[in-house]
């Protein structure tokens, strides 16, 4: 079974620039999550999709972050404009759309803001 | 506010030692508690616990949940250098497959 795919693996940009991350979940997984993991901390949920609908985006800084999952499969997360505090690893995860199902994570995108 | 707290924050042991990692939680509508191991890349799934008092075991790792006292422990016996990682605890809460993570315990196993 192919895992969750993310790209790019690394990204370095200057503050105020924009950046986009891509995620392809495990086939058949209806639920998709984006997390932000700052160094030394646990992952923090940014947004959760069920198919192409948003379930929870309460912790997404909507003035600069946006995400979409138009066809209920792949998803993109965008930051525009980036700030220094956005430096983190952005993890995508997916799970079956059922209770008590574990999440499976991608390798993440490490973002550094200069 | 839903909260997941892990302790200790970091731990250094020698190969062969046994370690116990702790995870306590305060959540509404608890569904399950999960343990993950995170090395340099993605967290990898270890255990999912839904019922109190039933130990889950995989090789040298085991975990148990206490839903009355709202905590879980992860035990690793006969530790090896390959066990060095950050161990994350997450709680699935509310009705929408939402997960809340603790800050993790960083384990270093010295040869």
């Amino acid at each position: 079974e192919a895992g969750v795919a993310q790209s790019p693996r690394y990204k370095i940009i200057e503050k105020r620039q924009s950046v986009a991350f891509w995620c392809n979940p495990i086939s058949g997984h209806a639920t998709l999550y984006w997390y932000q993991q700052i160094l030394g901390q646990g992952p923090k949920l940014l947004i959760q999709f069920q198919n192409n609908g948003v379930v929870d985006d309460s912790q997404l800084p909507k003035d600069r972050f946006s995400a979409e999952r138009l066809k209920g499969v792949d998803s993109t997360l965008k930051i525009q404009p980036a700030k220094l505090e956005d430096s983190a690893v952005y993890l995508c995860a997916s799970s079956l759309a059922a209770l008590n199902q574990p999440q499976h994570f991608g390798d993440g995108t490490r973002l550094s803001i200069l | 506010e839903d909260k997941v707290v892990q302790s200790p924050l970091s731990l250094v042991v020698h190969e062969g030692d046994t370690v116990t990692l702790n995870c306590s939680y305060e959540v509404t509508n608890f569904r399950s508690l999960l343990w993950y191991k995170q090395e340099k890349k993605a967290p990898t799934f270890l255990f999912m616990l839904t019922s109190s008092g039933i130990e889950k075991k995989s090789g040298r790792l085991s975990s148990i949940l206490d839903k009355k006292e709202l905590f879980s422990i992860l035990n690793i016996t006969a530790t090896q250098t390959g066990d060095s990682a950050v161990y994350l605890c997450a709680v699935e809460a509310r009705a929408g497959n939402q997960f809340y993570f603790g800050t993790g315990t960083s384990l270093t196993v010295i040869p």
Side-chain angles (χ1 to χ4, degrees):
Chain A
E1 177 184 78
V4 176
Q6 288 189 247
S7 68
R9 289 294 314 281
Y10 304 93
K11 191 74 178 178
I12 301 173
I13 61 173
E14 295 184 347
K15 59 183 179 184
R16 290 188 289 274
Q17 287 187 321
S18 62
V19 64
F21 313 126
W22 173 82
C23 173
N24 181 241
I26 292 173
S27 177
H29 281 196
T31 309
L32 184 146
Y33 311 79
W34 282 103
Y35 287 89
Q36 179 192 60
Q37 187 174 23
I38 292 171
L39 186 65
Q41 299 181 18
K44 183 184 91 171
L45 180 69
L46 293 175
I47 189 167
Q48 177 186 346
F49 292 95
Q50 183 83 356
N51 296 308
N52 60 350
V54 175
V55 173
D56 182 359
D57 64 356
S58 56
Q59 297 194 82
L60 187 74
K62 297 182 186 64
D63 58 334
R64 298 184 300 106
F65 286 64
S66 63
E68 59 184 13
R69 194 184 184 200
L70 292 175
K71 295 182 180 178
V73 181
D74 292 7
S75 177
T76 55
L77 175 70
K78 296 179 182 177
I79 307 175
Q80 182 179 12
K83 292 186 175 181
L84 292 175
E85 60 260 35
D86 298 333
S87 293
V89 175
Y90 290 84
L91 292 165
C92 178
S94 69
S95 68
L96 289 168
L99 296 175
N100 300 337
Q101 292 295 324
Q103 299 174 307
H104 299 268
F105 284 85
D107 286 343
T109 296
R110 183 175 296 278
L111 175 65
S112 297
I113 310 295
L114 304 179
Chain B
E1 182 183 332
D2 296 327
K3 186 167 63 174
V4 178
V5 177
Q6 291 187 245
S7 64
L9 289 181
S10 65
L11 197 52
V12 180
V13 301
H14 289 95
E15 265 191 324
D17 288 351
T18 293
V19 297
T20 299
L21 310 182
N22 303 290
C23 176
S24 64
Y25 62 91
E26 293 178 26
V27 298
T28 52
N29 299 320
F30 172 90
R31 295 288 186 184
S32 63
L33 185 144
L34 300 93
W35 286 97
Y36 288 86
K37 177 182 181 182
Q38 187 174 28
E39 296 172 269
K40 293 195 183 298
K41 300 181 181 177
T44 54
F45 172 73
L46 294 175
F47 298 113
M48 172 179 274
L49 303 155
T50 56
S51 302
S52 275
I54 299 174
E55 185 183 53
K56 292 260 179 120
K57 197 169 172 65
S58 175
R60 297 175 294 101
L61 278 66
S62 63
S63 184
I64 198 160
L65 173 67
D66 185 328
K67 290 169 74 173
K68 182 179 176 185
E69 300 297 329
L70 308 182
F71 78 92
S72 172
I73 59 172
L74 175 68
N75 278 320
I76 309 175
T77 59
T79 51
Q80 302 172 357
T81 54
D83 295 328
S84 296
V86 173
Y87 290 84
L88 293 166
C89 171
V91 173
E92 182 186 12
R94 302 182 190 162
N97 303 103
Q98 292 154 338
F99 294 84
Y100 297 88
F101 282 81
T103 54
T105 292
S106 176
L107 174 66
T108 302
V109 181
I110 300 171

